[in-house]
Amino acid sequence: MKNGVVIVGAGHAGVQAAASLRDDGYDRPVILVGDENELPYHKPPLSKTFIKDAEARPQPLRGEAFYTGSAIDFRPGIRIDRIDAGRRSVEISGGGTLAFDHLILATGSRPRTLSLPGSDLSGVLSLRSLADARLIRELSAQSDEVVILGGGFIGLEIAATLRAASRTVTVVEAVDRLLGRAVAPVVASHVRQRLEGTGVRILTGTSIARLEGEIGHVAAAITSSGERLPARMVIVGIGAVPNVELAQAAGLSIANGIRADHQMRTSVPEILAIGDAASYRHWFTGGDVRLESVQNATDQARLAARTITGHADGYSAVPWFWSDIGDMKLQMVGLTAGSDSHVVLGDLPDNKFSIYHYAGDRLLGIESVNRPGDHMLGRKMLGAGFSPTPGIVATGPDGLKAALAAFQEEEPVRAAG
Ligand SMILES: Cc1cc2nc3c(=O)[nH]c(=O)nc-3n(C[C@H](O)[C@H](O)[C@H](O)COP(=O)(O)OP(=O)(O)OC[C@H]3O[C@@H](n4cnc5c(N)ncnc54)[C@H](O)[C@@H]3O)c2cc1C
């Protein structure tokens, strides 16, 4: 046992795993390999601010000194091509191998691609990496008209950001509402109304039949009903697919992601999978999930480090997520699939409200718009295993805080949020 840990992927999950290994006292080599040629950076600002501001700089996850100071052998611009699970080694693209005692796969996900006539024209882009964001920023400076395919979080964040930079923005979504099933219909229509209020055009229930170009560059998107939407830039935001190929070729179990257990071990116990690439049974719902969020990536990374250092308990973090769309800070806590009723706190016209979702009498989660206090309290409630009745929710934050305190006096705290 001297080879240490190799981490493949230097994004949110990979960097946190390296840091947590050191925090947990792991003293063998830690090699962090990433195929981007960058100091690892925060992804969320890319769609919210970076693409509209020519002066904006990437925000590093950790300063450069962190890697040397923590004896983390960070190797940027290197791709791992193959895992030899039997020999416990990985092959570096272009030659060379790295041996490991444990391997952490933090390979993330990539944008789902579009297969339409014209989707290979220049100016048809998607946003995942800093390199993508730089391209979008550059092209946006020369493009008044932008069409965004997909009305999910990333598509709508980009729409709001580019609209704030005075671009003419049209969002085209194939189904009849925004944000898929990620939020309640009332939240989705609120987001739509406010975005439209800023001048973003939104077409739901509409698909794109083809993209037209001029001299190799996109010029328009043509809807299935024949409308021509002029565009110098088309951004495709139709979801992400997990990067599982490396794991799959090594024979690891795959099911909508690299299959991991409650300690993030794959079907080969020395190999762990975390972040956007991993699927697992979530303690909160009992269902199989693959989540794409910073919270999921970093909490799983912390657990993977504990698994390797022998202190693992099991995954018990409360799931949460945020998205900034124009003047709306959306915050979600819990997992609300299966909700059969809800209670609203606050005011939609004020652009400040929260939806408390229930299945029967169990609180499944809370979606908040510009009510960060509700979100933070929700994280505490769900972390403590406290499910307030709709009647208590209706008493507002003070009533909820008092009820949570009374609950915690009686019940042991289940887990920290
Ligand atoms: C534009 C944008 C905005 C977002 N906004 C939010 C937000 O507001 N809130 C939120 O909670 N989440 C947000 N997310 C999602 C969040 O960023 C992801 O869930 C998170 O980055 C997942 O971390 P990860 O480490 O699993 O994957 P990543 O951060 O994608 O890192 C994976 C890394 O592995 C590298 N890699 C893959 N294969 C190999 C290989 N074979 N060899 C070497 N390297 C490899 C990839 O290039 C990448 O650098 C956003 C994502 C994007 C793209």
Side-chain angles (χ1 to χ4, degrees):
M1 296 282 274
K2 58 185 175 339
N3 292 317
V5 177
V6 172
I7 303 170
V8 185
H12 285 268
V15 171
Q16 182 63 52
S20 294
L21 280 165
R22 290 299 182 230
D23 290 346
D24 293 350
Y26 189 80
D27 60 4
R28 295 183 200 126
V30 174
I31 304 178
L32 174 64
V33 183
D35 60 359
E36 296 181 68
N37 232 327
E38 317 275 358
L39 191 62
Y41 56 88
H42 286 272
K43 285 202 157 66
L46 298 181
S47 45
K48 298 165 181 73
T49 48
F50 186 88
I51 54 171
K52 74 165 183 226
D53 178 358
E55 307 298 317
R57 292 173 170 274
Q59 295 174 22
L61 286 170
R62 307 268 173 161
E64 217 163 342
F66 159 78
Y67 300 94
T68 38
S70 310
I72 291 162
D73 181 356
F74 170 48
R75 305 194 189 182
I78 287 184
R79 193 165 173 79
I80 297 299
D81 268 352
R82 191 173 163 267
I83 303 168
D84 188 331
R87 291 210 168 126
R88 292 199 193 171
S89 68
V90 292
E91 285 175 20
I92 297 171
S93 173
T97 58
L98 298 169
F100 61 80
D101 299 321
H102 287 96
L103 177 68
I104 300 180
L105 296 175
T107 48
S109 56
R110 61 180 181 273
R112 194 183 296 283
T113 51
L114 190 68
S115 56
L116 277 182
S119 49
D120 54 350
L121 287 162
S122 79
V124 180
L125 306 171
S126 53
L127 176 55
R128 177 75 201 174
S129 65
L130 183 55
D132 298 334
R134 287 194 180 109
L135 259 182
I136 289 175
R137 181 164 76 175
E138 211 172 285
L139 190 56
S140 143
Q142 313 151 29
S143 314
D144 178 44
E145 286 152 324
V146 180
V147 168
I148 296 172
L149 304 190
F153 286 114
I154 290 189
L156 297 183
E157 287 183 359
I158 297 172
T161 306
L162 293 183
R163 183 66 203 131
S166 306
R167 300 291 172 268
T168 303
V169 179
T170 306
V171 175
V172 182
E173 167 56 56
V175 303
D176 60 2
R177 53 163 289 186
L178 297 180
L179 295 169
R181 274 173 284 163
V183 297
V186 58
V187 178
S189 52
H190 177 80
V191 169
R192 176 175 191 151
Q193 230 176 23
R194 289 204 75 92
L195 271 180
E196 286 178 335
T198 67
V200 173
R201 186 173 178 218
I202 298 176
L203 306 174
T204 47
T206 303
S207 358
I208 293 298
R210 64 180 193 283
L211 301 174
E212 284 181 0
E214 281 164 16
I215 332 172
H217 191 93
V218 71
I222 313 297
T223 69
S224 40
S225 59
E227 186 179 350
R228 184 174 194 278
L229 305 169
R232 287 293 293 163
M233 179 160 74
V234 170
I235 301 177
V236 182
I238 53 172
V241 289
N243 291 323
V244 299
E245 291 73 9
L246 201 58
Q248 195 159 28
L252 272 55
S253 294
I254 306 291
N256 178 33
I258 308 169
R259 193 74 198 152
D261 69 7
H262 66 295
Q263 295 185 328
M264 311 323 300
R265 293 179 195 272
T266 67
S267 50
V268 174
E270 296 78 28
I271 304 180
L272 294 86
I274 56 176
D276 280 17
S279 68
Y280 58 102
R281 182 144 299 174
H282 207 294
W283 68 271
F284 189 74
T285 59
D288 292 341
V289 292
R290 187 182 67 76
L291 299 178
E292 294 168 10
S293 73
V294 169
Q295 172 278 319
N296 178 72
T298 49
D299 280 329
Q300 291 189 339
R302 292 185 182 102
L303 175 59
R306 294 201 299 278
T307 299
I308 289 171
T309 52
H311 307 298
D313 17 35
Y315 192 62
S316 62
V318 174
W320 57 267
F321 179 78
W322 85 97
S323 171
D324 298 332
I325 304 177
D327 65 357
M328 292 164 279
K329 174 165 274 303
L330 276 78
Q331 291 170 296
M332 279 69 74
V333 56
L335 296 172
T336 56
S339 157
D340 53 28
S341 66
H342 66 254
V343 180
V344 182
L345 267 193
D347 263 325
L348 273 73
D350 272 0
N351 196 25
K352 286 182 188 165
F353 61 95
S354 294
I355 314 278
Y356 291 71
H357 285 273
Y358 284 87
D361 56 5
R362 182 181 175 215
L363 179 67
L364 293 183
I366 305 164
E367 295 163 3
S368 303
V369 175
N370 295 331
R371 288 197 37 134
D374 291 352
H375 174 76
M376 292 311 294
L377 186 55
R379 277 161 62 173
K380 286 187 189 147
M381 292 192 302
L382 294 179
F386 175 52
S387 197
T389 63
I392 297 175
V393 170
T395 64
D398 290 341
L400 277 167
K401 274 181 210 156
L404 173 62
F407 173 82
Q408 283 177 318
E409 254 173 46
E410 282 168 27
E411 301 275 332
V413 177
R414 201 197 56 75

